[in-house]
Amino acid sequence: MKIITVTGYKGGVAKSTTAIHIATYFSDRGKTILVDGDPNRTALSWAQRGKLPFTVADERQAMKVISGNDYVLIDTPARPNSNDLEELAKGCDLLILPTIPDVVSLEPMLQTAKDLGTANYRALIVIVPPAPSKEGAAMRKELTDNGIPVFKNMIRRSVGFQKAAFDGIPVRDISDSRARNAWLDYQALGNEIKGVFGDE
Amino acid sequence: MKIITVTGYKGGVAKSTTAIHIATYFSDRGKTILVDGDPNRTALSWAQRGKLPFTVADERQAMKVISGNDYVLIDTPARPNSNDLEELAKGCDLLILPTIPDVVSLEPMLQTAKDLGTANYRALIVIVPPAPSKEGAAMRKELTDNGIPVFKNMIRRSVGFQKAAFDGIPVRDISDSRARNAWLDYQALGNEIKGVFGDE
């Protein structure tokens, strides 16, 4: 069983969207469950509006349904404190910290990374503006220069995510061509995560 | 795997003490883990001060350590709201609500029971004053008369619990003779829980 925890050191960083789409990726590769620990219950609502290709469980029922799964995605409450982050990291195989590519996000991200020390985590740059904007690449360089492990793949901004949330499905299942890149991005991320686990 | 959740609709009801001693009881009968979900981390601190005969895990690491256990005790945050209670009940085989035998506790307990409806729960009367006080029995009658499922066995007040907490061990392992009744009470409760599970 591989446990992947997605957490945010601030709100508005596509935390639940990221957990949902990584779960979608792994649901093709093994029995997958998403544990919704965010008090907003974004993932549970998403699933209730439509159909997701994996089980979504309320964290208060997680113990009962966790066994037998190959992949467990945990969507945590937003804004944990640094002690929470450390404990969350100990409880999973990989901790993912989505961050948006703006200068305001850099400072808290650096602080978070300091708190995490040598934990098994990766930053993920999300809601990246389309070319010719270079904000995504600039953010990645800043993080890398500061010694923060960051995923090579980034997730581009896409209207597909809103449509997917509205319909209660993954962007993969949106027929709108504008959603195509959104799913390609999470697929590439999924492959990269598999690499982190040494599955490739 | 049997999951027993201990929760409090108010503070000061020996919630963590109850979870620890039920876990002690079941640790003689199978692999047992206590998941500490109380932000005070009472159970974790108890274990760190001494030695408990079962694993105590931080809830943020629970997913990683839960599998392979026969008995899982969950110590929840104090004072969940009624929606929390319902969800907690769905996530376990038995929900235990400790309550002290005083008139102030009766009204919130009745409200809690109404919220829980037909869920798999039992009230447990704790910190019962010694005879000739009849407060414990009176509380049990009140609860029963109001249709609330309540354990036949009650937990008497005992200085043994403070000593056990201080030493980081279960009351079972306290040599002080005054702690003897404390352990007898939890043993009787453990037997009653086994009965609820149909193990007897």
Side-chain angles (χ1 to χ4, degrees):
Chain A
M1 184 191 285
K2 291 291 185 191
I3 303 177
I4 303 168
T5 298
V6 184
T7 193
Y9 61 93
K10 64 190 288 268
V13 294
K15 180 174 64 64
S16 300
T17 300
T18 293
I20 285 167
H21 287 91
I22 296 174
T24 300
Y25 175 89
F26 282 107
S27 69
D28 278 339
R29 284 153 186 88
K31 197 173 170 216
T32 301
I33 190 167
L34 189 159
V35 175
D36 190 349
D38 187 328
N40 293 334
R41 307 285 179 229
T42 306
L44 276 166
S45 308
W46 195 308
Q48 276 156 13
R49 278 191 300 274
K51 189 169 170 47
L52 291 174
F54 48 85
T55 305
V56 182
D58 188 299
E59 62 165 342
R60 292 163 295 189
Q61 280 123 48
M63 310 290 168
K64 210 166 176 174
V65 289
I66 205 82
S67 78
N69 283 282
D70 302 303
Y71 298 100
V72 179
L73 269 290
I74 305 179
D75 185 7
T76 69
R79 297 174 229 212
N81 62 38
S82 54
N83 176 46
D84 276 333
L85 274 178
E86 273 181 80
E87 298 298 325
L88 285 172
K90 280 188 228 160
C92 66
D93 298 290
L94 179 63
L95 184 72
I96 298 179
L97 285 165
T99 181
I100 55 173
D102 69 9
V103 68
V104 180
S105 295
L106 186 61
E107 198 47 50
M109 184 71 210
L110 296 181
Q111 184 56 49
T112 301
K114 222 165 76 183
D115 294 335
L116 275 167
T118 56
N120 46 330
Y121 79 100
R122 291 275 191 292
L124 172 68
I125 307 173
V126 295
I127 320 181
V128 174
S133 162
K134 293 193 164 50
E135 285 176 54
M139 183 70 168
R140 188 166 56 197
K141 184 172 184 316
E142 282 287 353
L143 293 175
T144 307
D145 288 353
N146 282 281
I148 294 176
V150 54
F151 284 110
K152 184 167 60 68
N153 290 285
M154 302 186 281
I155 309 298
R156 285 168 284 180
R157 193 169 67 201
S158 167
V159 294
F161 291 118
Q162 275 111 67
K163 185 156 170 37
F166 188 81
D167 291 350
I169 55 178
V171 281
R172 184 192 67 181
D173 301 342
I174 297 268
S175 50
D176 190 320
S177 68
R178 290 172 300 175
R180 211 178 113 74
N181 283 344
W183 177 237
L184 285 176
D185 287 353
Y186 274 111
Q187 266 189 308
L189 175 66
N191 289 333
E192 198 174 350
I193 293 171
K194 271 178 60 192
V196 172
F197 289 155
D199 288 354
E200 281 196 329
Chain B
M1 183 191 286
K2 290 291 185 193
I3 304 176
I4 303 168
T5 297
V6 185
T7 193
Y9 61 93
K10 63 189 288 266
V13 295
K15 179 174 64 67
S16 300
T17 300
T18 294
I20 286 166
H21 288 90
I22 296 174
T24 300
Y25 175 89
F26 281 107
S27 69
D28 279 340
R29 284 150 185 91
K31 197 174 170 214
T32 301
I33 190 168
L34 189 159
V35 175
D36 191 349
D38 187 328
N40 294 332
R41 305 287 178 228
T42 306
L44 276 166
S45 308
W46 193 309
Q48 276 156 16
R49 279 192 299 274
K51 189 165 169 50
L52 292 173
F54 48 85
T55 305
V56 183
D58 187 300
E59 62 164 344
R60 292 162 296 188
Q61 279 122 49
M63 311 288 167
K64 211 168 176 172
V65 289
I66 205 84
S67 77
N69 284 283
D70 301 303
Y71 299 99
V72 180
L73 270 291
I74 305 179
D75 185 8
T76 69
R79 296 173 227 215
N81 61 38
S82 54
N83 176 45
D84 276 333
L85 274 179
E86 273 181 81
E87 297 298 325
L88 285 172
K90 281 189 226 160
C92 66
D93 297 290
L94 179 64
L95 184 73
I96 297 179
L97 285 165
T99 181
I100 55 174
D102 68 9
V103 67
V104 180
S105 296
L106 185 62
E107 199 45 53
M109 185 69 210
L110 296 181
Q111 184 55 51
T112 302
K114 221 165 78 182
D115 294 337
L116 276 166
T118 55
N120 47 331
Y121 79 101
R122 290 277 190 292
L124 171 68
I125 306 172
V126 296
I127 320 180
V128 174
S133 162
K134 295 194 162 51
E135 286 176 52
M139 183 70 167
R140 189 166 54 195
K141 184 171 185 316
E142 282 287 354
L143 294 175
T144 307
D145 287 353
N146 281 281
I148 295 176
V150 53
F151 284 111
K152 184 168 60 70
N153 290 285
M154 301 186 281
I155 310 298
R156 285 168 285 181
R157 194 169 66 200
S158 166
V159 294
F161 291 118
Q162 274 112 65
K163 185 152 169 43
F166 189 82
D167 291 351
I169 56 179
V171 281
R172 185 192 67 182
D173 301 343
I174 297 267
S175 48
D176 190 320
S177 67
R178 290 173 299 176
R180 212 179 113 74
N181 283 345
W183 178 237
L184 285 176
D185 287 352
Y186 274 111
Q187 267 189 308
L189 175 66
N191 290 333
E192 197 175 349
I193 293 171
K194 271 178 61 193
V196 172
F197 289 155
D199 288 358
E200 279 194 330

PDB file of all heavy atoms in Angstrom, chain B residues 59-88:
ATOM      1  N   GLU B  59      -3.004  10.005  15.140  1.00  0.00           N
ATOM      2  CA  GLU B  59      -4.010   9.786  14.086  1.00  0.00           C
ATOM      3  C   GLU B  59      -3.460  10.120  12.702  1.00  0.00           C
ATOM      4  O   GLU B  59      -3.907   9.582  11.708  1.00  0.00           O
ATOM      5  CB  GLU B  59      -5.270  10.606  14.346  1.00  0.00           C
ATOM      6  CG  GLU B  59      -5.017  12.082  14.354  1.00  0.00           C
ATOM      7  CD  GLU B  59      -6.299  12.916  14.226  1.00  0.00           C
ATOM      8  OE1 GLU B  59      -7.336  12.380  13.830  1.00  0.00           O
ATOM      9  OE2 GLU B  59      -6.228  14.118  14.520  1.00  0.00           O
ATOM     10  N   ARG B  60      -2.469  11.038  12.662  1.00  0.00           N
ATOM     11  CA  ARG B  60      -1.934  11.423  11.362  1.00  0.00           C
ATOM     12  C   ARG B  60      -1.044  10.336  10.766  1.00  0.00           C
ATOM     13  O   ARG B  60      -0.604  10.435   9.631  1.00  0.00           O
ATOM     14  CB  ARG B  60      -1.175  12.743  11.498  1.00  0.00           C
ATOM     15  CG  ARG B  60      -2.126  13.906  11.805  1.00  0.00           C
ATOM     16  CD  ARG B  60      -1.416  15.103  12.353  1.00  0.00           C
ATOM     17  NE  ARG B  60      -0.799  14.816  13.642  1.00  0.00           N
ATOM     18  CZ  ARG B  60      -0.232  15.725  14.427  1.00  0.00           C
ATOM     19  NH1 ARG B  60      -0.186  16.980  14.046  1.00  0.00           N
ATOM     20  NH2 ARG B  60       0.298  15.390  15.582  1.00  0.00           N
ATOM     21  N   GLN B  61      -0.768   9.295  11.554  1.00  0.00           N
ATOM     22  CA  GLN B  61      -0.024   8.152  11.021  1.00  0.00           C
ATOM     23  C   GLN B  61      -0.857   6.882  11.002  1.00  0.00           C
ATOM     24  O   GLN B  61      -0.350   5.796  10.710  1.00  0.00           O
ATOM     25  CB  GLN B  61       1.236   7.912  11.858  1.00  0.00           C
ATOM     26  CG  GLN B  61       2.379   8.834  11.474  1.00  0.00           C
ATOM     27  CD  GLN B  61       2.836   9.656  12.650  1.00  0.00           C
ATOM     28  OE1 GLN B  61       3.059   9.123  13.709  1.00  0.00           O
ATOM     29  NE2 GLN B  61       2.968  10.954  12.449  1.00  0.00           N
ATOM     30  N   ALA B  62      -2.136   7.036  11.335  1.00  0.00           N
ATOM     31  CA  ALA B  62      -2.984   5.857  11.540  1.00  0.00           C
ATOM     32  C   ALA B  62      -3.064   4.954  10.312  1.00  0.00           C
ATOM     33  O   ALA B  62      -2.948   3.734  10.420  1.00  0.00           O
ATOM     34  CB  ALA B  62      -4.376   6.284  11.973  1.00  0.00           C
ATOM     35  N   MET B  63      -3.224   5.573   9.126  1.00  0.00           N
ATOM     36  CA  MET B  63      -3.402   4.767   7.913  1.00  0.00           C
ATOM     37  C   MET B  63      -2.227   3.813   7.701  1.00  0.00           C
ATOM     38  O   MET B  63      -2.374   2.740   7.160  1.00  0.00           O
ATOM     39  CB  MET B  63      -3.494   5.657   6.669  1.00  0.00           C
ATOM     40  CG  MET B  63      -4.445   6.802   6.781  1.00  0.00           C
ATOM     41  SD  MET B  63      -6.137   6.248   6.738  1.00  0.00           S
ATOM     42  CE  MET B  63      -6.917   7.755   7.288  1.00  0.00           C
ATOM     43  N   LYS B  64      -1.075   4.272   8.128  1.00  0.00           N
ATOM     44  CA  LYS B  64       0.137   3.509   7.863  1.00  0.00           C
ATOM     45  C   LYS B  64       0.275   2.300   8.795  1.00  0.00           C
ATOM     46  O   LYS B  64       0.971   1.343   8.469  1.00  0.00           O
ATOM     47  CB  LYS B  64       1.344   4.443   8.034  1.00  0.00           C
ATOM     48  CG  LYS B  64       2.515   4.096   7.141  1.00  0.00           C
ATOM     49  CD  LYS B  64       3.547   5.193   7.128  1.00  0.00           C
ATOM     50  CE  LYS B  64       4.760   4.795   6.316  1.00  0.00           C
ATOM     51  NZ  LYS B  64       5.677   5.922   6.144  1.00  0.00           N
ATOM     52  N   VAL B  65      -0.338   2.365   9.963  1.00  0.00           N
ATOM     53  CA  VAL B  65      -0.077   1.346  10.985  1.00  0.00           C
ATOM     54  C   VAL B  65      -1.300   0.518  11.356  1.00  0.00           C
ATOM     55  O   VAL B  65      -1.230  -0.361  12.207  1.00  0.00           O
ATOM     56  CB  VAL B  65       0.504   2.011  12.263  1.00  0.00           C
ATOM     57  CG1 VAL B  65       1.919   2.491  12.009  1.00  0.00           C
ATOM     58  CG2 VAL B  65      -0.370   3.155  12.743  1.00  0.00           C
ATOM     59  N   ILE B  66      -2.414   0.802  10.707  1.00  0.00           N
ATOM     60  CA  ILE B  66      -3.670   0.202  11.139  1.00  0.00           C
ATOM     61  C   ILE B  66      -3.802  -1.271  10.737  1.00  0.00           C
ATOM     62  O   ILE B  66      -4.408  -2.072  11.449  1.00  0.00           O
ATOM     63  CB  ILE B  66      -4.855   1.021  10.547  1.00  0.00           C
ATOM     64  CG1 ILE B  66      -6.070   0.845  11.417  1.00  0.00           C
ATOM     65  CG2 ILE B  66      -5.140   0.683   9.109  1.00  0.00           C
ATOM     66  CD1 ILE B  66      -6.070   1.761  12.567  1.00  0.00           C
ATOM     67  N   SER B  67      -3.210  -1.634   9.599  1.00  0.00           N
ATOM     68  CA  SER B  67      -3.509  -2.966   9.061  1.00  0.00           C
ATOM     69  C   SER B  67      -2.879  -4.058   9.912  1.00  0.00           C
ATOM     70  O   SER B  67      -1.832  -3.878  10.517  1.00  0.00           O
ATOM     71  CB  SER B  67      -3.056  -3.070   7.607  1.00  0.00           C
ATOM     72  OG  SER B  67      -1.676  -3.248   7.561  1.00  0.00           O
ATOM     73  N   GLY B  68      -3.562  -5.179   9.978  1.00  0.00           N
ATOM     74  CA  GLY B  68      -3.050  -6.310  10.740  1.00  0.00           C
ATOM     75  C   GLY B  68      -3.443  -6.307  12.200  1.00  0.00           C
ATOM     76  O   GLY B  68      -3.079  -7.223  12.939  1.00  0.00           O
ATOM     77  N   ASN B  69      -4.174  -5.282  12.641  1.00  0.00           N
ATOM     78  CA  ASN B  69      -4.617  -5.265  14.033  1.00  0.00           C
ATOM     79  C   ASN B  69      -5.968  -5.958  14.187  1.00  0.00           C
ATOM     80  O   ASN B  69      -6.819  -5.904  13.301  1.00  0.00           O
ATOM     81  CB  ASN B  69      -4.711  -3.817  14.550  1.00  0.00           C
ATOM     82  CG  ASN B  69      -3.341  -3.239  14.853  1.00  0.00           C
ATOM     83  OD1 ASN B  69      -2.733  -3.542  15.867  1.00  0.00           O
ATOM     84  ND2 ASN B  69      -2.834  -2.426  13.933  1.00  0.00           N
ATOM     85  N   ASP B  70      -6.139  -6.598  15.348  1.00  0.00           N
ATOM     86  CA  ASP B  70      -7.423  -7.233  15.638  1.00  0.00           C
ATOM     87  C   ASP B  70      -8.384  -6.243  16.284  1.00  0.00           C
ATOM     88  O   ASP B  70      -9.585  -6.290  16.049  1.00  0.00           O
ATOM     89  CB  ASP B  70      -7.200  -8.417  16.586  1.00  0.00           C
ATOM     90  CG  ASP B  70      -6.258  -9.442  15.992  1.00  0.00           C
ATOM     91  OD1 ASP B  70      -6.565  -9.934  14.887  1.00  0.00           O
ATOM     92  OD2 ASP B  70      -5.210  -9.728  16.600  1.00  0.00           O
ATOM     93  N   TYR B  71      -7.824  -5.347  17.103  1.00  0.00           N
ATOM     94  CA  TYR B  71      -8.656  -4.375  17.808  1.00  0.00           C
ATOM     95  C   TYR B  71      -8.080  -2.977  17.627  1.00  0.00           C
ATOM     96  O   TYR B  71      -6.887  -2.763  17.833  1.00  0.00           O
ATOM     97  CB  TYR B  71      -8.749  -4.714  19.300  1.00  0.00           C
ATOM     98  CG  TYR B  71      -9.374  -6.067  19.551  1.00  0.00           C
ATOM     99  CD1 TYR B  71      -8.583  -7.195  19.811  1.00  0.00           C
ATOM    100  CD2 TYR B  71     -10.760  -6.230  19.498  1.00  0.00           C
ATOM    101  CE1 TYR B  71      -9.159  -8.443  20.023  1.00  0.00           C
ATOM    102  CE2 TYR B  71     -11.339  -7.481  19.707  1.00  0.00           C
ATOM    103  CZ  TYR B  71     -10.538  -8.577  19.969  1.00  0.00           C
ATOM    104  OH  TYR B  71     -11.109  -9.810  20.167  1.00  0.00           O
ATOM    105  N   VAL B  72      -8.937  -2.068  17.219  1.00  0.00           N
ATOM    106  CA  VAL B  72      -8.530  -0.682  17.035  1.00  0.00           C
ATOM    107  C   VAL B  72      -9.381   0.190  17.950  1.00  0.00           C
ATOM    108  O   VAL B  72     -10.604   0.187  17.849  1.00  0.00           O
ATOM    109  CB  VAL B  72      -8.722  -0.224  15.575  1.00  0.00           C
ATOM    110  CG1 VAL B  72      -8.299   1.234  15.406  1.00  0.00           C
ATOM    111  CG2 VAL B  72      -7.941  -1.123  14.620  1.00  0.00           C
ATOM    112  N   LEU B  73      -8.726   0.876  18.881  1.00  0.00           N
ATOM    113  CA  LEU B  73      -9.418   1.856  19.718  1.00  0.00           C
ATOM    114  C   LEU B  73      -9.147   3.232  19.149  1.00  0.00           C
ATOM    115  O   LEU B  73      -7.983   3.563  18.887  1.00  0.00           O
ATOM    116  CB  LEU B  73      -8.876   1.796  21.153  1.00  0.00           C
ATOM    117  CG  LEU B  73      -9.535   0.854  22.156  1.00  0.00           C
ATOM    118  CD1 LEU B  73     -10.948   1.333  22.506  1.00  0.00           C
ATOM    119  CD2 LEU B  73      -9.581  -0.575  21.627  1.00  0.00           C
ATOM    120  N   ILE B  74     -10.178   4.019  18.967  1.00  0.00           N
ATOM    121  CA  ILE B  74      -9.975   5.384  18.486  1.00  0.00           C
ATOM    122  C   ILE B  74     -10.395   6.368  19.569  1.00  0.00           C
ATOM    123  O   ILE B  74     -11.537   6.333  20.039  1.00  0.00           O
ATOM    124  CB  ILE B  74     -10.756   5.659  17.185  1.00  0.00           C
ATOM    125  CG1 ILE B  74     -10.393   4.608  16.112  1.00  0.00           C
ATOM    126  CG2 ILE B  74     -10.457   7.058  16.661  1.00  0.00           C
ATOM    127  CD1 ILE B  74     -11.128   4.784  14.793  1.00  0.00           C
ATOM    128  N   ASP B  75      -9.447   7.179  19.982  1.00  0.00           N
ATOM    129  CA  ASP B  75      -9.724   8.254  20.931  1.00  0.00           C
ATOM    130  C   ASP B  75      -9.908   9.527  20.108  1.00  0.00           C
ATOM    131  O   ASP B  75      -8.975   9.986  19.453  1.00  0.00           O
ATOM    132  CB  ASP B  75      -8.539   8.391  21.899  1.00  0.00           C
ATOM    133  CG  ASP B  75      -8.821   9.409  22.993  1.00  0.00           C
ATOM    134  OD1 ASP B  75      -9.960   9.891  23.102  1.00  0.00           O
ATOM    135  OD2 ASP B  75      -7.873   9.714  23.757  1.00  0.00           O
ATOM    136  N   THR B  76     -11.120  10.045  20.119  1.00  0.00           N
ATOM    137  CA  THR B  76     -11.440  11.176  19.230  1.00  0.00           C
ATOM    138  C   THR B  76     -11.222  12.517  19.928  1.00  0.00           C
ATOM    139  O   THR B  76     -11.039  12.568  21.134  1.00  0.00           O
ATOM    140  CB  THR B  76     -12.921  11.121  18.809  1.00  0.00           C
ATOM    141  OG1 THR B  76     -13.716  11.406  19.958  1.00  0.00           O
ATOM    142  CG2 THR B  76     -13.286   9.780  18.248  1.00  0.00           C
ATOM    143  N   PRO B  77     -11.269  13.602  19.153  1.00  0.00           N
ATOM    144  CA  PRO B  77     -11.300  14.916  19.791  1.00  0.00           C
ATOM    145  C   PRO B  77     -12.515  15.019  20.710  1.00  0.00           C
ATOM    146  O   PRO B  77     -13.542  14.390  20.452  1.00  0.00           O
ATOM    147  CB  PRO B  77     -11.471  15.885  18.614  1.00  0.00           C
ATOM    148  CG  PRO B  77     -11.062  15.133  17.411  1.00  0.00           C
ATOM    149  CD  PRO B  77     -11.332  13.688  17.689  1.00  0.00           C
ATOM    150  N   ALA B  78     -12.388  15.781  21.774  1.00  0.00           N
ATOM    151  CA  ALA B  78     -13.529  16.009  22.644  1.00  0.00           C
ATOM    152  C   ALA B  78     -14.579  16.832  21.909  1.00  0.00           C
ATOM    153  O   ALA B  78     -14.277  17.526  20.943  1.00  0.00           O
ATOM    154  CB  ALA B  78     -13.084  16.734  23.900  1.00  0.00           C
ATOM    155  N   ARG B  79     -15.785  16.739  22.387  1.00  0.00           N
ATOM    156  CA  ARG B  79     -16.896  17.583  21.935  1.00  0.00           C
ATOM    157  C   ARG B  79     -17.106  17.648  20.432  1.00  0.00           C
ATOM    158  O   ARG B  79     -17.090  18.730  19.845  1.00  0.00           O
ATOM    159  CB  ARG B  79     -16.680  19.007  22.439  1.00  0.00           C
ATOM    160  CG  ARG B  79     -16.706  19.078  23.938  1.00  0.00           C
ATOM    161  CD  ARG B  79     -16.313  20.455  24.385  1.00  0.00           C
ATOM    162  NE  ARG B  79     -15.334  20.351  25.462  1.00  0.00           N
ATOM    163  CZ  ARG B  79     -15.262  21.169  26.480  1.00  0.00           C
ATOM    164  NH1 ARG B  79     -16.084  22.171  26.562  1.00  0.00           N
ATOM    165  NH2 ARG B  79     -14.360  21.003  27.418  1.00  0.00           N
ATOM    166  N   PRO B  80     -17.279  16.528  19.795  1.00  0.00           N
ATOM    167  CA  PRO B  80     -17.642  16.587  18.373  1.00  0.00           C
ATOM    168  C   PRO B  80     -19.064  17.127  18.249  1.00  0.00           C
ATOM    169  O   PRO B  80     -19.844  17.050  19.194  1.00  0.00           O
ATOM    170  CB  PRO B  80     -17.587  15.125  17.933  1.00  0.00           C
ATOM    171  CG  PRO B  80     -17.779  14.336  19.182  1.00  0.00           C
ATOM    172  CD  PRO B  80     -17.260  15.157  20.313  1.00  0.00           C
ATOM    173  N   ASN B  81     -19.388  17.705  17.108  1.00  0.00           N
ATOM    174  CA  ASN B  81     -20.782  18.118  16.901  1.00  0.00           C
ATOM    175  C   ASN B  81     -21.601  16.903  16.465  1.00  0.00           C
ATOM    176  O   ASN B  81     -21.062  15.817  16.260  1.00  0.00           O
ATOM    177  CB  ASN B  81     -20.865  19.273  15.893  1.00  0.00           C
ATOM    178  CG  ASN B  81     -20.318  18.890  14.544  1.00  0.00           C
ATOM    179  OD1 ASN B  81     -20.520  17.768  14.089  1.00  0.00           O
ATOM    180  ND2 ASN B  81     -19.619  19.795  13.897  1.00  0.00           N
ATOM    181  N   SER B  82     -22.901  17.086  16.320  1.00  0.00           N
ATOM    182  CA  SER B  82     -23.730  15.898  16.122  1.00  0.00           C
ATOM    183  C   SER B  82     -23.470  15.244  14.769  1.00  0.00           C
ATOM    184  O   SER B  82     -23.549  14.022  14.647  1.00  0.00           O
ATOM    185  CB  SER B  82     -25.205  16.232  16.300  1.00  0.00           C
ATOM    186  OG  SER B  82     -25.563  17.300  15.471  1.00  0.00           O
ATOM    187  N   ASN B  83     -23.121  16.049  13.764  1.00  0.00           N
ATOM    188  CA  ASN B  83     -22.771  15.457  12.478  1.00  0.00           C
ATOM    189  C   ASN B  83     -21.522  14.582  12.618  1.00  0.00           C
ATOM    190  O   ASN B  83     -21.450  13.469  12.100  1.00  0.00           O
ATOM    191  CB  ASN B  83     -22.540  16.548  11.427  1.00  0.00           C
ATOM    192  CG  ASN B  83     -22.076  15.978  10.101  1.00  0.00           C
ATOM    193  OD1 ASN B  83     -22.628  14.990   9.633  1.00  0.00           O
ATOM    194  ND2 ASN B  83     -21.044  16.573   9.522  1.00  0.00           N
ATOM    195  N   ASP B  84     -20.529  15.097  13.370  1.00  0.00           N
ATOM    196  CA  ASP B  84     -19.329  14.307  13.637  1.00  0.00           C
ATOM    197  C   ASP B  84     -19.679  12.973  14.277  1.00  0.00           C
ATOM    198  O   ASP B  84     -19.155  11.927  13.906  1.00  0.00           O
ATOM    199  CB  ASP B  84     -18.401  15.062  14.600  1.00  0.00           C
ATOM    200  CG  ASP B  84     -17.504  16.060  13.879  1.00  0.00           C
ATOM    201  OD1 ASP B  84     -17.219  15.846  12.694  1.00  0.00           O
ATOM    202  OD2 ASP B  84     -17.099  17.044  14.514  1.00  0.00           O
ATOM    203  N   LEU B  85     -20.555  13.034  15.275  1.00  0.00           N
ATOM    204  CA  LEU B  85     -20.922  11.814  15.999  1.00  0.00           C
ATOM    205  C   LEU B  85     -21.497  10.760  15.068  1.00  0.00           C
ATOM    206  O   LEU B  85     -21.115   9.593  15.125  1.00  0.00           O
ATOM    207  CB  LEU B  85     -21.950  12.140  17.081  1.00  0.00           C
ATOM    208  CG  LEU B  85     -21.396  12.596  18.426  1.00  0.00           C
ATOM    209  CD1 LEU B  85     -22.540  12.905  19.367  1.00  0.00           C
ATOM    210  CD2 LEU B  85     -20.489  11.532  19.028  1.00  0.00           C
ATOM    211  N   GLU B  86     -22.388  11.189  14.205  1.00  0.00           N
ATOM    212  CA  GLU B  86     -22.987  10.242  13.257  1.00  0.00           C
ATOM    213  C   GLU B  86     -21.930   9.615  12.367  1.00  0.00           C
ATOM    214  O   GLU B  86     -21.938   8.413  12.120  1.00  0.00           O
ATOM    215  CB  GLU B  86     -23.988  10.966  12.363  1.00  0.00           C
ATOM    216  CG  GLU B  86     -25.378  11.067  12.927  1.00  0.00           C
ATOM    217  CD  GLU B  86     -26.274  11.791  11.941  1.00  0.00           C
ATOM    218  OE1 GLU B  86     -26.749  11.159  10.980  1.00  0.00           O
ATOM    219  OE2 GLU B  86     -26.470  13.016  12.121  1.00  0.00           O
ATOM    220  N   GLU B  87     -21.015  10.472  11.876  1.00  0.00           N
ATOM    221  CA  GLU B  87     -19.981   9.966  10.970  1.00  0.00           C
ATOM    222  C   GLU B  87     -19.018   9.043  11.726  1.00  0.00           C
ATOM    223  O   GLU B  87     -18.569   8.029  11.198  1.00  0.00           O
ATOM    224  CB  GLU B  87     -19.219  11.125  10.325  1.00  0.00           C
ATOM    225  CG  GLU B  87     -20.091  12.022   9.443  1.00  0.00           C
ATOM    226  CD  GLU B  87     -20.693  11.277   8.257  1.00  0.00           C
ATOM    227  OE1 GLU B  87     -20.028  10.392   7.711  1.00  0.00           O
ATOM    228  OE2 GLU B  87     -21.850  11.572   7.895  1.00  0.00           O
ATOM    229  N   LEU B  88     -18.715   9.401  12.958  1.00  0.00           N
ATOM    230  CA  LEU B  88     -17.851   8.551  13.789  1.00  0.00           C
ATOM    231  C   LEU B  88     -18.500   7.184  13.992  1.00  0.00           C
ATOM    232  O   LEU B  88     -17.832   6.145  13.926  1.00  0.00           O
ATOM    233  CB  LEU B  88     -17.600   9.199  15.154  1.00  0.00           C
ATOM    234  CG  LEU B  88     -16.629  10.378  15.192  1.00  0.00           C
ATOM    235  CD1 LEU B  88     -16.654  11.032  16.576  1.00  0.00           C
ATOM    236  CD2 LEU B  88     -15.207   9.927  14.858  1.00  0.00           C
TER     237      LEU B  88
END
